[in-house]
Amino acid sequence: MSDASFRVDETPSSGEAGFSDYFALLKPRVMSLVVFTAFAGFYAAQSEMHPIEGLAVILFIAVGAGASGALNMWWDSDIDSVMKRTRNRPIPTGRITADAALAFGIALAGFAVAMLALASNLQAAALLAFTVFFYVVIYTMWLKRRTPQNIVVGGAAGAFPPMIGWMAATGSVSIESAFMFCLIFMWTPPHFWALALFARSDYEAAGVPMLTVTHGRRAARAHILVYTLLLAALAAGAAMAGIGGPAYVCVAIVMNVLFLRGAWSIWRRGEQTAESDGFKIEKSFFTLSLAYLFAHFGAIVVDTAIEPYVAGMW
Amino acid sequence: MALSRLHELHKRRFSRNLGLGIVLAGLVALIFGLTVVKVSDEDFSVPATLEGSK
């Protein structure tokens, strides 16, 4: 770039992005969840892969997830600039152009899939490619702006990482990895609908047909309760299906009781009460939902680690 | 504006270049490690087509 760009830089939106801007394009907070759940799936499979291979597998799954995030931001840059929660992202602020984000996302996605194939196997790489496709095309481009069920179906994209981790380790899927998939799949709707309850104006302004916008907040509260009940049943089923050891059972009991209590409170509340206390219950339920997922997958990791010691007792 | 003056633009370029350099160095180390692990594996063997061409 010539030094003529000095003049342009007087505004913050020069298109001259720093490293942190490109990192932000990868949605690092979402990526942390992907890394953790993919690691749990990989570790629970108890593969004999070398730790460096394991590190590479998790890293390339994370890069694939980051690529999905970049492509999502490229497509959604118009609505991101409308919503308070997302208007400071690199594309709406002009620090990165939409074309640059598109190129960055495609290159990273191709790189991640090819490297995962080399580090582990073709099946895992194919599943990663499908996950990127599902998140970008099925969820972001197709469902997100068309149906209030966007979160329900789109949640599958976030549910694939532990299955990819398991497949990278073993080359196949299993009942355990299917349960891990279902756990995230059922967890996603109450998590996002809780967010939609206290960020409604954002989605309305952007024209995204969240359930709170299309069917009303009462319906969203009822949906959260129903999905939380289904999630609790699934979490209990997973414990009985073999993915759960003592740590998982303890976590599942505690977290599901708390989660059900939170969903019940949300369902019972009226809008006036919620608005008067600044959506305190909805916000705490949203925070709890993050802890819920980390705790369940953390328990799966712990149970795998202690399995040799408790095999006779459990 | 003097070209030698340290500008915010330079900082952003430097952060980008430094970050990219670290990422690339890490990638080289990872792929090197991965290669060593793969070729050290007991199941690793040179494909017959390559052996025949020697």
Side-chain angles (χ1 to χ4, degrees):
Chain A
M1 185 181 284
S2 78
D3 285 306
S5 58
F6 267 109
R7 294 176 63 82
V8 182
D9 186 54
E10 296 305 319
T11 66
S13 304
S14 65
E16 185 78 31
F19 183 75
S20 59
D21 295 318
Y22 279 97
F23 188 65
L25 213 53
L26 304 180
K27 294 193 175 180
R29 273 187 289 186
V30 176
M31 210 156 65
S32 67
L33 201 66
V34 168
V35 165
F36 189 63
T37 57
F39 169 74
F42 179 82
Y43 187 67
Q46 302 192 49
S47 147
E48 292 181 356
M49 287 173 86
H50 193 280
I52 290 182
E53 289 178 296
L55 175 69
V57 163
I58 302 304
L59 184 73
F60 296 134
I61 294 173
V63 172
S68 305
L71 292 169
N72 170 275
M73 285 200 204
W74 158 71
W75 184 263
D76 278 346
S77 58
D78 57 336
I79 57 174
D80 279 353
S81 61
V82 177
M83 297 198 287
K84 283 183 210 156
R85 189 172 62 86
T86 55
R87 65 172 53 145
N88 287 324
R89 285 178 172 175
I91 301 176
T93 52
R95 296 195 300 273
I96 293 178
T97 64
D99 287 347
L102 173 63
F104 184 62
I106 290 174
L108 274 191
F111 170 78
V113 170
M115 290 308 296
L116 186 61
L118 292 170
S120 59
N121 53 59
L122 281 174
Q123 298 94 305
L127 192 55
L128 179 64
F130 177 73
T131 304
V132 175
F133 167 81
F134 195 93
Y135 185 68
V136 176
V137 178
I138 305 292
Y139 170 67
T140 304
M141 294 181 177
W142 184 33
L143 295 174
K144 186 173 177 179
R145 304 189 196 195
R146 280 183 174 78
T147 166
Q149 297 301 315
N150 48 15
I151 286 305
V152 178
V153 184
F160 278 120
M163 197 176 251
I164 301 172
W166 186 285
M167 193 172 257
T170 65
S172 62
V173 290
S174 66
I175 184 76
E176 290 91 342
S177 66
F179 261 111
M180 286 187 247
F181 172 92
C182 290
L183 205 59
I184 303 177
F185 183 75
M186 294 304 296
W187 164 89
T188 306
H191 169 76
F192 276 101
W193 284 329
L195 173 70
L197 278 174
F198 60 83
R200 175 182 62 167
S201 57
D202 253 9
Y203 288 115
E204 270 181 336
V208 177
M210 289 298 281
L211 195 68
T212 46
V213 179
T214 59
H215 290 70
R217 302 166 72 76
R218 188 72 247 157
R221 291 175 187 279
H223 274 70
I224 287 174
L225 180 60
V226 170
Y227 272 83
T228 303
L229 284 167
L230 292 172
L231 177 64
L234 186 81
M240 287 179 248
I243 72 166
Y248 181 88
V249 170
C250 293
V251 163
I253 290 170
V254 173
M255 294 307 291
N256 281 286
V257 166
L258 291 174
F259 214 45
L260 280 167
R261 197 179 67 171
W264 178 258
S265 300
I266 285 179
W267 181 68
R268 288 188 63 192
R269 270 154 75 87
E271 287 316 307
Q272 282 188 331
T273 318
E275 280 178 25
S276 66
D277 68 8
F279 297 97
K280 191 177 168 188
I281 300 288
E282 288 79 3
K283 285 176 181 172
S284 67
F285 183 82
F286 179 76
T287 307
L288 178 66
S289 70
L290 292 169
Y292 180 98
L293 203 65
F294 273 106
H296 276 78
F297 279 85
I300 290 170
V301 171
V302 169
D303 280 332
T304 307
I306 65 173
E307 191 183 339
Y309 310 104
V310 298
M313 294 181 277
W314 189 257
Chain B
M1 186 179 291
L3 292 181
S4 59
R5 181 179 157 188
L6 186 63
H7 194 274
E8 202 262 335
L9 179 73
H10 289 120
K11 287 182 190 168
R12 273 190 273 165
R13 281 183 189 167
F14 179 74
S15 85
R16 198 176 60 206
N17 294 338
L18 180 68
L20 186 61
I22 291 170
V23 167
L24 287 176
L27 189 64
V28 167
L30 180 67
I31 291 176
F32 178 72
L34 202 55
T35 307
V36 171
V37 168
K38 292 277 185 192
V39 298
S40 305
D41 195 282
E42 287 176 6
D43 297 333
F44 179 77
S45 60
V46 179
T49 49
L50 288 178
E51 283 189 332
S53 64
K54 283 181 183 173

